[in-house]
Amino acid sequence: MLDDENPLGRPSELPFALPPFDAIRLEHLRPALIEGMAEHRREVDRIAAHAGEATFTNTVDALERTGALLQRAEHVFDSATSSFSTPELRELEAEVSPLLSAHSDEIHLDAALFARIDAVHAVRHDVGLDEEERRLVERYHADFVRAGAALSAEDQERLRALNGELSQLTTSFGAHLLAEANDSAVHVTDEASLVGLSAGAKATAASAAHDRGFDGWLLTVVLPTSQPVLASLEDRALRERVHTASVTRGLRGGEHDTRALITRIAALRAERAVLLGFTSHAHYVIDDQTAGDVETVMSTLTSIVEPAVANARREAAELTELLHADGHDGPLRAWDWRYYAARESQGAMTLDPAELREHFEFDSVYQRGVFFAASKLYGMSFSERTDLPMPHPDMRAWEVTTEESEPLGLFLLDPYARDTKRGGAWMTNYVDQSHLPGDPDQRPVVTNTLNVGKPPAGEATLLSLDEVRTAFHEFGHALHGLLSDV
């Protein structure tokens, strides 16, 4: 049983069931996850062992009501491993991730449970289910089949082994990638080489260097291969250093090299796909997505190859002229492309992309941009909540309501890059929306996570045009979560 003092052991009493982050500590996660899996297994066992005929109510609806403790713990754990990955948390992740994978297999490969789901699925059109209930039955059935429920006992044992090893390898890959990205940051000691960077971008680089104990400036490496800073740096040698740091992540040898991990992960995924009846891992993934099959994807991609290559060659010729006009001989290199493309745009539009940052102050982008657009399009209102505990001091929260002041949910924003956060930008939930019959309606707690460079204390956070686009894009996913009604 879980210790009564563990805050994850009971539903949160905070608004929207926000996890009590001021009370949750690292030592609470492991026992909550372990007991959550055990409790979930007991709940599922009761459903699988039900003596009566399988129905929507005693099987699918019942499954929807299981795993509350595990879900609370996993939401906090998953967000922590993505955004606050300390060595202690990575150690816990390495221990717990294979256990979570094995637990998922136990549920999905339970023959008695799948037999009940299969029985409900077979009569879903004949027993008076509404559209949402039928969709839920179909989703459960598809998930179980894709997880191996219809395989032979022998193949299921091999699948368990594959999933267990993949869980360990992907966890290790994430840790290697985070460490390698941090190690790949480019240290600059000569301010003259930073010509072209805006004052705000230089201040952010200086702050990043200070935080890691360096003099000068630190150009951190973000997730995409093409680094945004390449559009501004005039110093060609520094551009090459930044580009090389980006494209050699995980390929430099040493303790964080990811090549062996990637090779093994790809091989195991390929074997798993064939075991589940698919030609490749790509076929397995796309089968459950919008395109439906690999052939559709490849047809779409190949149809744009010729015009894309023609555009690239035409643009390369134009940018090479600018390169040579600057006194550089030889061909255009990968680290030159963004810089001269920005120069060309500046000449065509009399607009300097670096100067745009001065107009994209963080709060203004959200208050007068993102939130304003959501208000006009969907009638949403946003009220900042400074009274709620956050998992990190940089995070902020807004209560979201309709035009009629009905609550839609809570929106959390984690904007800044840090050494403990994986690269990129994403949306996730701390609490899922639910209208489960018989239970109180639950509105969601939705988070957008970005990787914006943090400026020195007291200075404004200025965004690039790409970062503004990312803010709107990720809030599109947040809208999906906030407007969920199922």
Side-chain angles (χ1 to χ4, degrees):
M1 295 295 293
L2 200 62
D3 189 327
D4 289 341
E5 298 301 314
N6 193 315
L8 291 168
R10 54 194 174 275
S12 170
E13 297 180 357
L14 292 173
F16 302 97
L18 176 74
F21 294 113
D22 53 345
I24 297 171
R25 298 189 298 276
L26 176 65
E27 58 264 31
H28 294 136
L29 291 174
R30 186 185 186 280
L33 290 165
I34 298 298
E35 178 56 28
M37 285 185 276
E39 179 181 278
H40 190 210
R41 181 71 255 190
R42 292 191 294 269
E43 293 168 338
V44 170
D45 284 346
R46 286 193 291 271
I47 297 170
H50 194 286
E53 178 185 2
T55 67
F56 176 85
T57 300
N58 67 27
T59 301
V60 175
D61 182 78
L63 279 171
E64 281 287 279
R65 300 173 188 276
T66 65
L69 169 58
L70 180 59
Q71 187 177 70
R72 286 196 301 272
E74 275 201 280
H75 278 323
V76 173
F77 176 69
D78 290 345
S79 291
T81 56
S82 296
S83 300
F84 320 109
S85 186
T86 62
E88 295 79 12
L89 190 56
R90 287 194 290 275
E91 183 178 344
L92 176 62
E93 184 182 18
E95 175 197 355
V96 171
S97 291
L99 301 180
L100 290 167
S101 174
H103 174 72
S104 177
D105 282 339
E106 282 185 17
I107 303 297
H108 288 105
L109 303 181
D110 185 316
L113 179 64
F114 180 61
R116 296 185 68 84
I117 294 171
D118 197 39
V120 177
H121 183 261
V123 298
R124 66 191 184 280
H125 295 296
D126 308 319
V127 290
L129 300 181
D130 64 29
E131 184 178 7
E132 186 175 9
E133 290 168 338
R134 284 196 303 273
R135 172 59 180 160
L136 186 61
V137 171
E138 291 166 353
R139 187 67 262 172
Y140 264 104
H141 191 269
D143 287 346
F144 271 68
V145 170
R146 286 175 58 79
L151 295 178
S152 68
E154 181 181 357
D155 284 345
Q156 286 185 355
E157 282 307 302
R158 179 56 185 157
L159 182 63
R160 292 175 194 268
L162 291 170
N163 287 339
E165 187 175 355
L166 278 167
S167 175
Q168 293 175 324
L169 292 174
T170 53
T171 298
S172 181
F173 175 81
H176 279 65
L177 185 63
L178 177 63
E180 181 75 347
N182 288 334
D183 287 350
S184 297
V186 176
H187 184 211
V188 178
T189 56
D190 180 9
E191 186 172 6
S193 63
L194 296 175
V195 170
L197 283 191
S198 67
K202 285 173 61 176
T204 298
S207 181
H210 178 269
D211 289 346
R212 295 203 203 173
F214 291 118
D215 294 328
W217 301 263
L218 200 65
L219 302 178
T220 55
V221 176
V222 298
L223 190 61
T225 298
S226 182
Q227 300 296 304
V229 73
L230 296 178
S232 303
L233 288 171
E234 293 184 15
D235 189 305
R236 195 183 190 199
L238 182 55
R239 291 203 304 270
E240 182 179 0
R241 286 179 61 198
V242 171
H243 175 80
T244 301
S246 176
V247 300
T248 58
R249 281 175 289 182
L251 308 175
R252 303 181 300 168
E255 60 179 324
H256 303 314
D257 194 288
T258 59
R259 284 172 289 188
L261 286 169
I262 291 171
T263 302
R264 182 61 179 163
I265 288 169
L268 293 176
R269 284 177 170 175
E271 182 182 350
R272 183 177 63 182
V274 172
L275 193 66
L276 291 168
F278 294 90
T279 304
S280 69
H281 181 67
H283 286 81
Y284 170 73
V285 172
I286 293 172
D287 179 70
D288 198 40
Q289 295 188 346
T290 303
D293 56 69
V294 169
E295 291 70 28
T296 299
V297 174
M298 293 307 298
S299 174
T300 302
L301 292 176
T302 54
S303 70
I304 66 173
V305 169
E306 186 174 345
V309 170
N311 285 342
R313 286 175 173 162
R314 181 171 60 253
E315 185 176 354
E318 295 168 354
L319 300 185
T320 299
E321 291 181 7
L322 295 177
L323 173 76
H324 292 167
D326 275 355
H328 300 293
D329 296 325
L332 185 79
R333 300 295 186 183
W335 49 88
D336 297 320
W337 198 293
R338 287 193 70 147
Y339 176 72
Y340 284 105
R343 280 266 301 273
E344 186 178 48
S345 297
Q346 183 180 355
M349 300 183 294
T350 65
L351 180 67
D352 184 352
E355 290 182 2
L356 280 175
R357 290 175 63 97
E358 305 300 322
H359 301 280
F360 292 143
E361 189 274 326
F362 183 84
D363 276 350
S364 181
V365 166
Y366 273 89
Q367 297 292 346
R368 298 166 60 190
V370 174
F371 295 164
F372 177 81
S375 173
K376 291 297 183 183
L377 289 170
Y378 302 106
M380 292 177 160
S381 295
F382 298 82
S383 176
E384 186 160 12
R385 297 288 300 262
T386 59
D387 58 324
L388 300 175
M390 293 288 101
H392 191 277
D394 288 338
M395 292 182 66
R396 297 164 67 180
W398 287 264
E399 185 170 343
V400 187
T401 58
T402 67
E403 288 178 307
E404 295 77 26
S405 299
E406 293 294 324
L408 282 172
L410 200 63
F411 173 66
L412 275 55
L413 183 60
D414 183 8
Y416 295 122
R418 50 182 172 268
D419 291 350
T420 59
K421 183 192 286 188
R422 67 176 171 88
W426 61 94
M427 169 268 187
T428 190
N429 285 8
Y430 274 113
V431 177
D432 296 327
Q433 177 271 323
S434 175
H435 294 313
L436 198 62
D439 285 354
D441 277 359
Q442 178 61 59
R443 298 309 308 166
V445 177
V446 174
T447 301
N448 273 179
T449 302
L450 311 177
N451 266 285
V452 175
K454 188 176 182 180
E459 295 197 19
T461 300
L462 303 178
L463 304 183
S464 68
L465 184 56
D466 280 346
E467 288 168 337
V468 173
R469 290 193 185 104
T470 299
F472 275 88
H473 173 98
E474 293 304 329
F475 194 76
H477 294 300
L479 284 170
H480 185 183
L482 290 165
L483 296 174
S484 180
D485 185 27
V486 297

